[in-house]
């Protein structure tokens, strides 16, 4: 039962209800079953490796699980356990423990266990509970955003029966050449990739190694001595350590590796190679990896069954270097640099499948709205997929589904990827984003929480979680998540940009500007930060400064989508200023870049050209921007907003209110500037339904007490009701927030005049 429901926590009540089917069973009986299972597995409740108790909630299984489908019957003799392998045979699952684990009790085989009459019922219960899944990742309430060192998930080599756990350290650059410095991590990554294909070894991933070194206070650039490597091995529970170094000798490069026993530090083997040119590294590293595997008793029976990195990735070292650097750039949302590096990689090696795939990834996942450009690259990657690992094929399948707007297929692909590779943080992250796009908010947050159990310091996960929180109105939690992102990535512009966005949502505009300033100090052409600075200036009535920022943004915007966004911002700004001529010109530029966010519709509506407005609205209702994401409520809400504006202008107030009520369910695409949040309140104000308008504005201000439009419009509502003191207070608050606004801003002038009239009684 727990295996079937592995994507979530199984509570005590649910276990009692489903397993005992209504029988009178107490919590103590369930707890005793868990105690029995722990004894059978040699587990410790204080430092669990298999079953973890979630206080007052239920249980989760934290060991790795492998699922296998068998054609026939038969039994599996169990040995000592470090992880659980589930083999489905007809109607039952059989457990395969690990012979490597010291100190674990030997268990009788499944067949023998059932042979004892008095043990049959207990054994059935034990076996049923033991198959709780590997990756139902639950966390203690309230601990998510601020994990203490005691709450951190251990970074260990996954324990797999019959496989030796290995850690490959970063290589030492003895030549001190900056041109070769990327090989410190690159060589380690190549050997990790090669050894990971052995069915007799389990290797700590590059991501896990980097995480562990950071937690231990070591930077990836420092020299890694044997004593440090032994400490890493102890933390990760590895049995073997691989240390290496390289040096440039003119055109030649010498690479040395040493294999050590992790328990004693004893040197087990030494291997070296010298290549005449750097390009030869990729072909020679395969042989070096094979020799290391042989020293660990992991030589593949069939050499072809474990292809080397040159076979599955590329034989061109420069292409591999570009690819490696591009991954870092893409993960930091420096998309243009990533694409340039990846394009260079496929130019160097036209058969580089993962380089094609990653270009598709940038267009589909990072840019999000360039799917048509992504498809040819992903299709090319599919054509070359015989060169890829299973993990890479699963990622490509997920990205391909996303590129074709098949969100359901993408979700299934990411779930499958997580079930097979539970340490893949990126898979959790993308799954969460997809679920959030389908308004499955609780599932989305749960996916990210699972990722943070695997790695409490996963930077991108804290970033995504922050955005989820502020869309739920949980601004303090959003700020905390993005502050954690900044703490983990102080030199990353995107981290400061994300924190700035949370500050905007909370109405902390000075903090937002400071964060965006830090982002631009780190990366002056970071287009997101330039756009967001313009948004803050716009929201504070500093229209001239906002226009300058948007123009700077347009100079560096990386895609037609981004350029259309910039011109749409200008449409909205000029409409606020009452400058229809410039708004219309900006709307034409928006359409020039083949994306229509509604700028032309809003201009036609402002001109009261109802015929043109209706035609443009019809186009928006079938616009791919809003229809490609069929299940995106944000897109639908934006369309409701446009329909409400048209209905209101057409004199159909009831219809307008219905659309605006739908539009308020979630923010639209341009929430910071043209929010749907106050559309209902503004309509009540226009219709003279003042009490309802006041209630709506006060609701908005309870969420963000510094949002300028709400104070300005609330002042008008109070003024029309004759509540002069409240009106004056609202105008004063608006002008205080807008103290640095342009003196020619229409709202600034109007609010000042209204306040003066209220003060002098006219």
């Amino acid at each position: 039962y727990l295996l079937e429901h592995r994507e979530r926590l199984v509570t005590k009540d649910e276990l009692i209800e489903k397993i005992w089917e209504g029988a009178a069973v107490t919590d103590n009986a369930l707890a005793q079953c868990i105690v029995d299972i722990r004894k059978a597995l040699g587990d410790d409740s204080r430092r669990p490796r298999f079953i973890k108790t979630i206080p007052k909630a239920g249980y989760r299984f934290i060991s790795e699980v492998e699922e296998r489908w068998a054609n026939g019957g038969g039994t599996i003799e169990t040995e000592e356990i470090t992880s659980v392998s589930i083999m489905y045979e007809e109607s039952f699952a059989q457990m395969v423990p690990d012979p490597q684990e010291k100190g674990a009790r030997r268990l009788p085989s499944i067949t023998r266990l059932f042979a004892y009459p008095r043990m049959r019922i207990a054994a059935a219960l034990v076996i049923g509970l033991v198959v709780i899944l590997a990756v139902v990742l639950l966390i203690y309430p309230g601990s998510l955003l601020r994990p203490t060192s005691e709450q951190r998930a251990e970074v260990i080599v996954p324990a797999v029966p019959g496989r030796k756990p290995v850690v490959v350290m970063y290589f030492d650059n003895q030549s001190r050449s900056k041109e070769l410095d990327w090989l410190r991590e690159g060589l380690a990554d190549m050997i990790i990739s090669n050894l990971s294909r052995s069915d007799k070894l389990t290797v700590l991933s590059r991501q896990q190694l980097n995480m562990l070194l950071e937690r231990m206070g070591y930077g990836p650039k420092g020299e890694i001595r044997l004593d440090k490597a032994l400490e890493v091995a102890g933390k990760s529970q590895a049995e073997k350590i691989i240390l290496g170094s390289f040096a440039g000798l003119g055109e030649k490069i010498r690479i040395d590796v040493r294999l050590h026993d992790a328990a004693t530090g004893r040197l087990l083997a030494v291997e070296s190679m010298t290549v005449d040119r750097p390009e030869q590294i990729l072909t020679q590293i395969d042989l070096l990896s094979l020799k290391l595997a042989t020293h660990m008793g992991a030589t593949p029976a069939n050499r072809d069954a474990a292809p080397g990195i040159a076979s599955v990735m590329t034989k061109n070292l420069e292409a591999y270097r570009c690819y490696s650097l591009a991954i870092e750039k893409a993960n930091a949302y420096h998309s243009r640099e990533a694409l340039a590096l990846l394009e260079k990689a496929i130019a160097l090696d036209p058969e580089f499948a993962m380089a094609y795939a990653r270009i598709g990834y940038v267009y589909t996942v990072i840019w999000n709205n360039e799917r048509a450009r992504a498809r040819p690259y992903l299709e090319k990657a599919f054509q070359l997929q015989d060169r890829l690992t299973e993990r890479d094929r699963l990622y490509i399948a997920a990205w391909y589904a996303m590129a074709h707007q098949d969100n359901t297929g993408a979700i299934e692909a990411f779930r499958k990827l997580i079930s097979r590779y539970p340490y893949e943080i990126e898979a959790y992250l993308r799954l969460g984003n997809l679920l959030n796009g389908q308004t499955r908010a609780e599932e989305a947050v749960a996916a990210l929480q699972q990722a943070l159990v695997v790695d409490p310091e996963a930077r991108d996960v804290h970033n995504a979680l922050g955005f989820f929180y502020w869309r739920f109105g949980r601004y303090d939690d959003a700020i905390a998540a993005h502050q954690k992102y900044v703490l983990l990535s102080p030199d990353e512009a995107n981290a400061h940009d994300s924190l700035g966005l949370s500050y905007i949502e909370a109405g902390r505009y000075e903090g937002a500007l400071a964060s965006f300033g830090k982002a631009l100090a780190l990366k002056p052409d970071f287009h997101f930060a330039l756009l967001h600075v313009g948004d803050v200036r716009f929201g504070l009535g500093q229209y001239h400064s906002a226009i300058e920022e948007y123009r700077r943004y347009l100079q560096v915007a990386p895609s037609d989508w981004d350029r259309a966004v910039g011109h749409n911002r200008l449409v909205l700004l000029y409409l606020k200023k009452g400058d229809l001529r410039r708004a219309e010109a900006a709307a034409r530029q928006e359409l020039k870049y083949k994306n229509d966010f509604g700028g032309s519709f809003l201009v036609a509506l402002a001109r009261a050209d109802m015929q043109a407005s209706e035609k443009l609205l019809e186009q928006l209702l079938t616009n791919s921007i809003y229809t490609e994401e069929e299940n995106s409520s944000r897109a639908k809400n934006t369309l409701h907003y446009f329909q409400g504006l048209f209905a209101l202008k057409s004199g159909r107030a009831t219809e307008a209110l219905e659309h605006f009520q739908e539009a308020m369910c979630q923010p639209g695409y341009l929430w910071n500037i043209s929010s749907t949040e106050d559309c209902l309140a503004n309509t009540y104000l226009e219709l003279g339904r003042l009490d309802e308008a006041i209630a709506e504005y006060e609701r908005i201000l309870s969420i963000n007490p510094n949002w300028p439009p709400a104070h300005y419009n609330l002042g008008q509502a109070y003024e029309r009701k004759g509540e002069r003191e409240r009106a004056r207070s609202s105008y004063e608050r608006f002008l205080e927030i807008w103290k640095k606004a342009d003196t020619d801003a229409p709202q600034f002038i109007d609010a000042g005049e209204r306040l003066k009239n209220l003060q002098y009684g006219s």
Side-chain angles (χ1 to χ4, degrees):
Y1 180 83
L2 290 162
L3 182 63
E4 290 173 355
H5 301 279
R6 57 187 177 271
E7 75 282 358
R8 59 178 176 82
L9 163 68
V10 179
T11 66
K12 294 179 181 180
D13 290 343
E14 184 178 356
L15 280 171
I16 290 172
E17 178 185 351
K18 299 295 184 181
I19 304 301
W20 280 274
E21 298 182 343
V25 177
T26 66
D27 283 0
N28 289 337
L30 176 60
Q32 185 57 49
C33 290
I34 300 298
V35 170
D36 293 341
I37 294 169
R38 285 201 176 104
K39 287 182 180 178
L41 299 178
D43 205 10
D44 183 350
S45 62
R46 291 167 299 180
R47 294 177 58 83
R49 292 178 296 114
F50 296 95
I51 296 177
K52 188 166 186 175
T53 301
I54 310 303
K56 300 180 181 179
Y59 301 94
R60 68 181 178 94
F61 201 90
I62 57 175
S63 176
E64 186 174 11
V65 172
E66 180 182 359
E67 298 181 8
R68 298 175 184 168
W69 290 89
N71 294 325
T75 62
I76 298 177
E77 292 292 327
T78 60
E79 301 180 18
E80 300 171 24
I81 303 172
T82 59
S83 69
V84 173
S85 175
I86 306 302
M87 179 170 286
Y88 295 91
E89 300 200 348
E90 298 179 349
S91 60
F92 66 92
Q94 296 182 321
M95 183 174 65
V96 188
D98 179 12
Q100 302 297 324
E101 181 61 26
K102 299 176 181 178
R105 257 176 43 178
R106 279 187 78 84
L107 297 176
S109 72
I110 299 292
T111 313
R112 292 176 59 196
L113 192 61
F114 274 93
Y116 297 98
R118 295 179 62 186
M119 296 180 66
R120 288 176 184 171
I121 295 176
L125 175 61
V126 169
I127 293 169
L129 289 175
V130 160
V131 293
I132 302 175
L133 189 137
V135 241
V136 180
L137 299 160
L138 262 301
I139 63 170
Y140 293 103
S143 67
L144 174 63
L145 290 176
R146 304 168 192 80
T148 64
S149 58
E150 291 77 19
Q151 292 169 329
R152 288 177 175 174
E154 293 183 0
V155 180
I156 61 173
V157 185
V160 179
R163 295 190 178 195
K164 294 179 181 178
V166 182
V167 60
V168 182
M169 306 304 297
Y170 293 141
F171 278 51
D172 181 28
N173 182 1
Q174 294 185 341
S175 66
R176 306 295 183 236
S177 168
K178 290 185 177 180
E179 291 184 1
L180 296 177
D181 204 49
W182 75 275
L183 286 171
R184 296 193 73 256
E185 296 183 40
L187 286 171
D189 197 40
M190 295 174 201
I191 292 178
I192 289 169
S193 297
N194 279 335
L195 296 182
S196 295
R197 295 184 178 90
S198 169
D199 59 2
K200 298 178 182 178
L201 300 173
T202 306
V203 191
L204 196 73
S205 71
R206 174 177 171 179
Q207 179 190 33
Q208 291 173 291
L209 175 61
N210 189 53
M211 181 199 318
L212 188 53
L213 288 172
E214 286 184 354
R215 290 183 184 178
M216 295 169 63
Y218 300 126
K221 300 299 182 184
E223 179 184 356
I224 299 179
R225 301 183 304 274
L226 178 60
D227 57 344
K228 183 190 298 185
L230 290 172
E231 187 179 359
V232 170
K235 295 276 188 184
S236 63
Q237 300 182 13
E239 293 182 6
K240 299 291 187 291
I241 309 167
I242 295 173
L243 288 164
S245 61
F246 62 91
L249 308 170
E251 283 291 313
K252 296 183 178 182
I253 297 177
R254 178 182 173 87
I255 299 171
D256 297 288
V257 293
R258 305 183 305 280
L259 178 67
H260 291 265
D261 180 81
T264 64
R266 183 167 61 91
L267 182 64
L268 301 176
V270 177
E271 293 290 346
S272 64
M273 71 178 193
T274 301
V275 296
D276 294 330
R277 298 184 309 279
E279 300 81 50
Q280 297 175 341
I281 288 178
L282 285 175
T283 53
Q284 294 299 314
I285 204 73
D286 294 343
L287 178 59
L288 187 62
S289 300
L290 181 63
K291 290 180 179 180
L292 289 169
T294 302
H295 288 305
M296 291 183 282
T299 307
N302 180 2
R303 285 282 300 275
D304 295 332
I309 195 166
S311 300
V312 300
M313 293 289 273
T314 178
K315 293 182 173 66
N316 189 302
L317 182 66
E318 178 62 13
Y320 188 86
R321 184 187 74 85
C322 291
Y323 173 81
S324 181
L325 294 174
I327 302 307
E328 297 177 15
K329 296 293 185 182
N331 289 338
Y333 297 92
H334 301 162
S335 307
R336 288 184 300 169
E337 295 101 315
L339 286 172
L341 287 163
L342 291 167
E343 290 285 1
K344 184 176 180 182
I346 61 174
L348 291 165
D349 180 3
E351 301 295 303
F352 196 164
M354 277 309 295
Y356 287 104
R358 282 289 176 176
I359 293 174
Y361 162 84
V362 171
Y363 283 134
T364 298
V365 178
I366 303 300
W367 280 3
N368 190 282
N369 297 289
E370 297 286 341
R371 297 181 184 87
R373 297 172 70 178
R375 291 165 195 156
Y377 291 100
L378 291 170
E379 287 164 3
K380 180 68 174 179
F382 263 122
Q383 294 170 11
L384 300 168
Q385 66 175 320
D386 59 315
R387 306 184 66 191
L388 301 175
T389 63
E390 180 196 40
R391 170 186 166 278
D392 290 336
R393 286 196 294 270
L394 286 171
Y395 267 119
I396 293 173
W399 300 337
Y400 190 80
M402 292 175 68
H404 287 80
Q405 294 90 53
D406 179 11
N407 286 349
T408 300
I411 287 171
E412 290 175 357
F414 282 125
R415 287 198 188 281
K416 186 175 182 181
L417 207 157
I418 288 169
S419 71
R420 297 192 181 184
Y421 302 93
Y423 291 97
E424 284 297 311
I425 297 298
E426 183 180 330
Y428 293 101
L429 178 64
R430 302 307 167 200
L431 175 61
N433 286 332
L434 286 166
L435 291 169
N436 187 55
Q438 294 190 340
T439 64
R440 295 159 66 177
E442 292 184 4
E443 293 179 72
V445 171
L448 297 189
Q449 289 174 344
Q450 290 173 2
L452 289 177
V453 172
V454 176
D455 177 10
E457 297 182 353
R459 304 162 190 180
D460 288 343
V461 176
H462 285 290
N463 184 30
L465 197 59
F467 289 126
F468 288 1
Y469 280 144
W470 67 247
R471 287 189 179 129
F472 303 152
R474 296 169 56 180
Y475 300 135
D476 289 342
D477 288 337
I479 290 170
H482 284 145
Q483 285 174 334
K484 181 71 173 179
Y485 181 28
V486 169
L487 183 66
L488 294 169
S489 305
D491 297 326
E492 176 50 59
N494 192 68
H496 296 281
D497 181 73
S498 294
L499 178 58
L501 287 173
S502 281
Y503 281 140
I504 290 179
E505 299 302 319
R508 296 167 58 176
Y509 305 119
E510 292 302 321
L513 288 172
S515 292
F516 297 141
K518 290 177 182 177
L520 291 169
L522 290 165
K523 185 173 173 53
D525 64 345
F526 191 42
H527 65 287
F528 286 133
L530 290 169
L531 181 70
H532 298 146
V533 171
D535 291 348
V536 177
R537 301 294 186 197
F538 187 171
L540 294 176
Q542 300 167 25
Y543 296 154
H544 297 296
S545 296
I547 290 170
E548 291 178 9
E549 296 296 340
Y550 290 147
R551 286 175 177 167
R552 287 178 61 197
Y553 162 80
L554 286 167
Q555 291 175 357
V556 298
S559 69
D560 284 351
W561 169 275
D562 294 292
R563 284 181 278 274
V565 166
H567 287 293
N568 183 267
R569 290 291 210 273
L570 289 171
V571 172
L572 300 170
L573 189 151
Y574 287 129
L575 288 175
K576 281 284 187 184
K577 284 174 63 69
D579 190 340
L580 288 178
R581 183 180 62 83
R582 285 192 170 89
E584 188 171 14
R588 287 196 298 269
Q589 289 296 311
E590 178 185 339
L591 295 178
K592 173 184 174 183
Y593 291 106
K594 301 176 183 178
N595 286 288
D596 183 3
F597 294 103
S600 297
F601 165 72
L602 294 173
V603 170
L605 208 59
R607 291 190 180 280
D609 186 344
M610 303 310 294
Q611 184 175 356
S613 299
E614 185 174 18
K615 182 179 179 181
L616 291 165
L617 178 60
E618 289 174 357
Q619 293 174 3
L620 286 171
L621 291 173
T622 58
N623 191 323
S624 61
I625 292 173
Y626 300 110
T627 59
E628 280 187 349
E629 295 286 347
E630 293 182 351
N631 297 315
S632 172
S633 67
R634 296 183 68 208
K636 293 177 182 177
N637 292 343
T638 302
L639 290 178
H640 278 298
Y641 176 62
F642 291 149
Q643 288 172 291
L645 291 175
F646 181 77
L648 185 63
K649 198 78 170 181
S650 302
R652 302 194 300 272
T654 301
E655 181 183 336
L657 288 170
E658 290 174 354
H659 282 298
F660 288 146
Q661 285 169 343
E662 290 291 334
M664 286 175 54
C665 294
Q666 273 202 18
Y669 277 114
L670 306 178
W671 191 84
N672 292 323
I673 298 306
S674 180
S675 174
T676 62
E677 185 71 22
D678 65 350
C679 59
L680 189 61
N682 293 343
T683 305
Y684 285 142
L685 181 62
E686 185 170 338
L687 296 175
R689 295 165 60 171
L690 301 179
D691 289 335
E692 292 165 287
I694 288 169
E696 272 298 301
Y697 288 129
E698 288 180 342
R699 180 191 64 80
I700 293 167
L701 291 172
S702 71
I703 299 171
N704 179 353
N706 295 322
W707 200 35
H711 286 290
Y712 174 66
N713 292 325
L714 183 59
Q716 294 183 62
Y718 280 135
E719 186 178 0
R720 289 169 62 179
K721 277 199 73 176
E723 298 187 28
R724 299 170 62 86
E725 287 302 317
R726 288 186 172 183
R728 187 171 70 175
S729 177
S730 294
Y731 289 134
E732 286 174 345
R733 182 63 183 139
F734 170 70
L735 291 171
E736 180 184 350
I737 298 171
W738 267 38
K739 57 182 177 290
K740 296 182 181 179
D742 295 347
T743 55
D744 63 347
Q747 299 87 354
F748 184 81
I749 295 170
D750 182 65
E753 291 177 350
R754 288 176 180 274
L755 181 60
K756 186 185 299 183
N757 291 336
L758 288 168
Q759 288 173 334
Y760 292 101
S762 58

